[in-house]
């Protein structure tokens, strides 16, 4: 569907002062070339200045009458198809500026011809005409706007010439061409071609074929062979087509009165291979190491049928105006007659082609798809696509349509579009006709920056009829004779330069026009504002934007258009109401400014549209560095009470609502509570009570639920406890109060927030440090309580190890610094052992060692027991913990227990026994009894018994502790070993009376078995 508006995209128009009737014309970088239709062959060159002023630069002669012409920005050359003596030639005019400036020197050379030394000095000051010989007459041409390569369409083939820069010397570089590739296409006579970045669009009368030349890396010989193989496999398909064509021809001869038409076909992407149009590549580039090898990829094929509609006859249905419009990663549109950035990465490519009554715009970049269809009110003659508009000429008018290239390109470039962050009008948005400007006999059109060049030519009949009308209105015979003379001599043609108005001016007109639909037709208002937005967006994506005088004004217009669209989606009842949020975000307006826009004069409104509520809900739930005034905050409460009362507690907790009146908030909260009570609502009322200083009300609300339910309630609204200022987490007044009165509830609430991904571990650390205000380097006890509580419920192994190392580090620091906690810990060691798997029961031998010392020597008994409990557990990673434990390794009995625990966890049992025998021998037996079981029992007789015997021999009876340990060890070994094995362990010089009781015990348990 095409919408019709009556806007004014066209501004002033000027007549190009041509001396002869134009046959062909095209635009260069900053010039206009006009080829004469007269017998004297030549090209006039005009410089196009601001506001469409034309300044003649000169002219130069061509070797034949120009049938087609094109200019390449890369290389600044003009290429023509010329006819002379019924023969067609392809020529390129290089260094033409010298000729147009008045120089008469001309050099004619064949393509690839080696430059003679005698010419090198004069090449700078003369124009060169490069002849390009072809085996078949050229039919159409196109220059790549990126690298200047030339594509020529001939019958059944396309020929590609690569632009070369020949360095003659350090002061002279000459342009030349090399025929590098031929694409053979059976039974395909191109009417028009378009060439850009390896993409080729070809049209016949009713067929469109788009191809992509992909570079392949392979050996030159092998590549040529592979290409040949591909072509031969496709030849049978081509042969089939020939046979079919021959059969059709014979049938047509038999049935002359019938017209046979093929069915319309549209094949996109991979399916386009099924078009049965074989393409064979023939490389003609000279053999070299850097020789390029290509393969063809089919992108699109479309076949039309002759027009059977009332608009025209069958023979009038022909395709025209095929074009390729590239878009690059920088977001800049680049066309053949605009500045290019050769190093830009291709982002997307658009292809346009047209039938007499309908035009088609496709995206052929990453995805091949139809973007827009343009229905014309009358038969079109030619069209030209620009980044902002599609200009179409008919027999009586110049029409201007909007395009969707910027909408598609924006989505390719910015992944945040179509999210809650950014938005852009959809690619599927209906296109519209902005203007139908009447002209007499438009014949041809081209585009350059903000100028349209239009050739008009009235038929002789029209001129005579117009003059006859004029004569009837004149009364005097002399004037009648004069009119007749003028009609006979009048050429009937004009070449105009029409200026399109500035983007800002047209944008303003669109905005003003949209206001006529504001209260009448919602869709039309949004549509026209979307068109205005895309118009500005396309201008910003233009490569010349950064150098534009309108840069700042365009940016302001872009933000303003976003604000207007945000207003529409907020005020109107539309299915796309959610777009209010991203458009307002892109506008740069604050929440206060948006509210002032939407609430001005609306005090009596009792209903609010979904878009407005959606925007407010999301904006107020974000962490914004903005505070609403008391009046606006109270108004927001009223709005949500009427529109979405469930959200009221969450909105009140927003950082933007700090200036809210607590009394007003409680009034509305009580009304909502009567309808839909919740824990979050209760906590919000308690928060407001704190702000009012009403502790009685606060306690009443907090006592209405159990602590576990309250802790879970904070999950529904974390902002009750913490907020953000400039990206830093800050505790609320509620959190400060809980720290003093209910620290357990506070810690449980933060644990619940972490477990439900409402707060990160580092954020929680900052929260407790800010709350306790102990300084950057000091870890408050409340944070350690949080870590300990989190260890109870956490199931992520990586987080568990991190927490274990953190609490271990703090226990070690306090013990080593003899620094007791500033507040009483929420959990004792026994509590943690009973509730947390990562805290183990403290081993008996540890208890024995610690009891051996004085209790007064332990400054932090709770931290000591927690540290030992962690090491007694099986969770902590001992190698990772060893550097943390280093400060305590020499700290008396505590250090001994830590060293032995670490050695034991690492499997170093003998080392542990040696440490215990040196410092606390009685504990060695307890250690062995506890730690050495099953396969480790051999340590009893292999290590412990020999060590005790040796130490007792050395000390004698002076060490009763060693003797006691030895006796206990002997009793255990005697129970475990055979008598023979037990005898081998006893020292030969030992006192028999001492060992005899143990021998008797062993023999009575199992008699000695003598063997021979």
């Amino acid at each position: 569907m095409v919408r019709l508006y009556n806007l004014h995209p066209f501004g002033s128009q000027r007549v190009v002062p041509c001396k002869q009737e134009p046959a062909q014309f095209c635009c260069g970088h900053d010039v206009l070339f006009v080829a004469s239709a007269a017998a004297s062959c030549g090209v006039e060159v005009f410089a196009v200045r601001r506001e469409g002023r034309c300044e003649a630069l000169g002219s130069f002669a061509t070797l034949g009458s120009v049938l087609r012409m094109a200019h390449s920005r890369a290389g600044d050359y003009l290429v023509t198809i010329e006819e002379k003596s019924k023969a067609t030639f392809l020529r390129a005019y290089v260094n033409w500026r010298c000729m147009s400036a008045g120089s008469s020197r001309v050099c004619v050379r064949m393509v690839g011809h080696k430059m003679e030394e005698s010419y090198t000095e004069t090449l700078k000051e003369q124009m060169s005409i490069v002849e390009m010989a072809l085996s078949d007459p050229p039919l159409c041409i196109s220059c790549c706007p990126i690298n200047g390569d030339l594509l020529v369409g001939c019958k059944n083939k396309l020929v590609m010439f690569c632009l070369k820069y020949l360095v003659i010397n350090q002061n002279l570089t000459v342009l030349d061409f090399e025929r590098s590739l031929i694409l053979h296409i059976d039974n395909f006579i191109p009417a028009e071609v378009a060439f850009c970045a390896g993409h080729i669009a070809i049209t016949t009368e009713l067929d469109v074929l788009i191809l992509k030349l992909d570079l392949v890396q392979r050996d030159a010989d092998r590549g040529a062979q592979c290409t040949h193989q591909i072509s031969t496999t496709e030849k049978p398909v081509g042969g089939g087509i020939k046979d079919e064509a021959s059969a059709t021809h014979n049938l047509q001869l038999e049935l002359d009165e019938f017209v046979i038409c093929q069915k319309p076909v549209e094949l996109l992407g991979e399916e386009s291979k099924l078009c049965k149009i074989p393409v064979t590549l023939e490389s003609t580039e000279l053999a070299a190491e850097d020789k390029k090898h290509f393969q063809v990829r089919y992108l699109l094929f479309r076949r039309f049928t002759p027009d059977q509609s009332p608009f025209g006859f069958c023979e009038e249905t022909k395709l025209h105006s095929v074009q390729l419009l590239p878009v690059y990663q920088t977001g800049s549109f680049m066309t053949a007659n605009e500045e290019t950035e050769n190093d830009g990465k291709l982002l997307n490519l658009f292809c346009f082609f047209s039938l007499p009554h309908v035009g088609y715009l496709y995206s052929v970049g990453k995805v091949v798809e139809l973007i827009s269809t343009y229905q014309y009110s009358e038969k079109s003659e030619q069209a030209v696509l620009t980044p902002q508009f599609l200009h179409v000429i008919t027999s009586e008018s110049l029409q201007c349509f909007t395009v969707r290239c910027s909408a598609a390109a924006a989505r390719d470039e910015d992944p945040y579009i179509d999210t809650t962050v950014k938005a852009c009008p959809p690619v599927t948005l209906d296109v519209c006709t902005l203007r139908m400007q009447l002209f007499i006999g438009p014949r041809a059109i081209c585009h350059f920056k903000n100028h349209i060049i239009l050739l008009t030519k009235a038929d002789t009949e029209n001129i005579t009829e117009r003059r006859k009308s004029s004569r009837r209105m004149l009364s005097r015979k002399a004037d009648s004779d004069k009119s007749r003379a003028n009609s006979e001599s009048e050429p009937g043609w004009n070449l105009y330069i029409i200026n399109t108005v500035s983007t800002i001016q047209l944008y303003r007109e669109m905005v003003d026009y949209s206001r006529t639909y504001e209260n009448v037709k919602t869709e039309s208002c949004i549509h026209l504002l979307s068109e205005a937005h895309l118009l500005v967006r396309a201008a910003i994506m233009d490569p010349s934007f950064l150098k534009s005088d309108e840069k700042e004004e365009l940016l302001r217009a872009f933000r303003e258009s976003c604000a207007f669209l945000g207003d529409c989606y907020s005020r109107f009842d539309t299915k796309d109401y959610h777009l209010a949020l991203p458009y307002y975000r892109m506008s740069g307006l604050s929440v206060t400014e948006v509210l002032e826009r939407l609430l001005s004069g609306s005090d009596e409104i009792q209903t609010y549209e979904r878009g407005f509520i959606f925007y407010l809900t999301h904006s107020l739930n974000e962490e914004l560095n903005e505070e609403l005034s008391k009046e606006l905050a109270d108004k927001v409460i009223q709005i949500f009470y009427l529109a979405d009362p469930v959200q009221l507690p969450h909105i009140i907790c927003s950082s933007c609502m700090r200036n809210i009146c607590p009394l007003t908030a409680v009034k509305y909260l009580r009304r909502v509570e009567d309808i839909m009570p919740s824990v979050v609502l209760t906590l919000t009322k308690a928060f407001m009570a704190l702000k009012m200083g009403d502790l009685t009300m606060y306690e009443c609300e907090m006592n209405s639920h159990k602590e576990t339910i309250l802790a879970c309630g904070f999950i529904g609204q974390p902002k009750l406890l913490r907020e953000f200022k400039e990206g830093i987490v800050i505790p609320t007044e509620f959190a400060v109060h809980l720290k003093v009165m209910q620290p357990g509830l506070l810690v449980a609430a933060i644990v619940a927030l972490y477990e439900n991904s409402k707060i990160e571990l580092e954020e929680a650390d900052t929260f407790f440090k800010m709350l306790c205000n102990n300084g950057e380097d000091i870890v408050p006890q409340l944070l350690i309580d949080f870590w300990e509580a989190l260890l109870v419920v956490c199931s992520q192994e990586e987080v568990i190890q991190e927490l274990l190392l953190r609490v271990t580090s703090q226990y070690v620091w306090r013990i080593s610094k003899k620094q007791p906690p500033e507040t009483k810990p929420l959990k004792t060691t026994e509590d943690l052992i009973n509730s947390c798997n990562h805290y183990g029961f403290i081993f008996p031998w540890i208890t024995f060692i610690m009891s051996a010392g004085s209790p007064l020597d332990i400054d932090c008994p709770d931290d000591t027991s927690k540290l030992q409990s962690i090491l007694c557990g099986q969770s902590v990673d001992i190698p990772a913990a060893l550097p943390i434990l280093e400060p305590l390794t020499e700290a008396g009995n505590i250090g001994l227990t830590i060293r032995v625990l670490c050695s034991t966890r690492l499997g170093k049992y003998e080392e542990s026994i040696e440490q215990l025998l040196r410092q606390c021998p009685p504990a060695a037996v307890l250690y062995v009894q506890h730690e050495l079981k099953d396969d480790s029992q051999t340590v009893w007789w292999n290590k412990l018994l020999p060590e005790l015997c040796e130490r007792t021999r050395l000390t004698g009876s002076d060490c009763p502790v060693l003797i006691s340990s030895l006796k206990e060890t002997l009793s255990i070994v005697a129970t475990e070993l055979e008598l023979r094995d037990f005898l081998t362990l006893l020292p030969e010089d030992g006192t028999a009376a001492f060992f005899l009781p143990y021998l008797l015990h062993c023999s009575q348990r199992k008699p000695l078995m003598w063997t021979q």
Side-chain angles (χ1 to χ4, degrees), residues 848-1003:
F848 179 83
I849 293 174
M850 297 305 295
S851 64
S854 172
L856 298 176
D857 296 336
I858 304 175
D859 294 290
C860 302
D862 202 40
D863 289 331
T864 301
S865 60
K866 287 180 180 179
L867 177 60
Q868 292 169 340
S869 177
I870 281 183
L871 297 176
C872 289
Q874 299 299 312
S875 298
V876 68
D877 184 2
I878 294 299
L882 283 175
I884 299 174
L885 298 168
E886 186 66 29
L888 295 181
T889 52
E890 302 300 327
N893 289 343
I894 298 175
L896 174 62
T897 59
I898 290 173
R899 291 198 306 274
V900 174
L901 278 169
C902 291
S903 298
T904 302
R905 287 285 305 278
L906 296 174
K908 301 177 180 178
Y909 298 111
E910 295 184 4
E911 181 181 318
S912 300
I913 291 172
E914 287 182 359
Q915 293 182 63
L916 289 172
L917 289 174
R918 281 198 308 269
Q919 292 185 250
C920 189
V925 176
L926 291 173
Y927 171 81
V928 174
Q929 285 178 330
H930 184 270
E931 300 291 345
L932 305 182
K933 296 175 182 178
D934 300 328
D935 294 340
S936 302
Q937 282 186 331
T938 56
V939 177
W940 279 97
W941 42 86
N942 292 335
K943 178 67 179 178
L944 184 58
L945 183 58
E947 283 285 340
L948 286 172
C949 290
E950 181 64 24
R951 291 173 185 268
T952 304
R953 180 189 299 111
L954 294 175
T955 58
S957 59
D958 296 335
C959 187
V961 173
L962 282 175
I963 294 173
S964 174
S965 299
L966 179 58
K967 287 181 178 181
E968 188 169 352
T969 302
L970 284 169
S971 63
I972 293 174
V973 173
T975 304
E976 296 294 332
L977 294 182
E978 299 287 346
L979 182 57
R980 182 178 53 190
D981 296 331
F982 184 49
L983 280 171
T984 60
L985 293 175
L986 298 180
E988 294 179 358
D989 58 347
T991 304
F994 181 82
F995 293 102
L996 186 58
Y998 304 102
L999 285 169
L1000 290 172
H1001 175 70
C1002 185
S1003 63

Side-chain angles (χ1 to χ4, degrees), residues 122-136:
T122 58
L123 283 174
K124 284 184 180 180
E125 301 176 359
Q126 69 181 18
M127 180 176 74
S128 294
I129 303 177
V130 183
E131 292 272 2
M132 302 182 197
L134 295 168
S135 59
D136 294 297

Side-chain angles (χ1 to χ4, degrees), residues 76-96:
D76 193 23
Y77 67 86
L78 181 72
V79 62
T80 62
I81 296 177
E82 301 176 13
E83 184 181 38
K84 187 172 184 180
S85 301
K86 297 184 179 181
T88 310
F89 304 92
L90 179 67
R91 298 186 175 103
Y93 293 82
V94 180
N95 206 18
W96 53 267

Side-chain angles (χ1 to χ4, degrees), residues 473-485:
M473 297 173 65
L474 297 174
S475 58
R476 288 186 289 178
K477 189 174 184 300
D479 290 342
S480 178
D481 294 339
K482 185 177 180 180
S483 292
R484 186 182 301 109

Side-chain angles (χ1 to χ4, degrees), residues 761-779:
L761 194 58
E762 298 303 324
E763 288 179 355
D765 293 353
T766 306
F767 171 82
F768 282 109
K769 288 179 180 179
M770 295 286 290
L771 181 65
C772 299
N773 198 22
N774 287 8
E776 286 286 331
D777 300 328
I778 299 176
V779 176

Side-chain angles (χ1 to χ4, degrees), residues 341-405:
E341 296 179 8
N342 295 335
D343 57 348
K345 180 182 177 183
L346 187 66
L347 181 67
N348 204 339
L349 190 69
F350 301 94
C351 181
F352 175 82
F353 49 85
S354 183
L355 288 170
H357 292 282
V358 61
Y360 301 91
L361 179 62
Y362 281 85
S363 168
V364 293
K366 297 176 183 177
V367 179
V368 181
E369 59 182 345
L370 178 64
I371 291 180
S372 301
T373 302
Y374 296 87
Q375 299 286 343
Y376 312 136
S377 58
E378 52 186 339
K379 179 185 173 185
S380 64
E381 302 291 340
Q382 191 180 351
V384 59
L385 178 67
T386 75
Q388 290 180 309
F389 305 110
L390 173 69
H391 299 292
V392 180
I393 56 172
T394 67
S395 59
E396 295 182 350
S397 66
L398 167 62
Q399 300 181 9
C400 178
F401 296 86
T402 57
V403 295
R404 299 288 168 261
C405 297

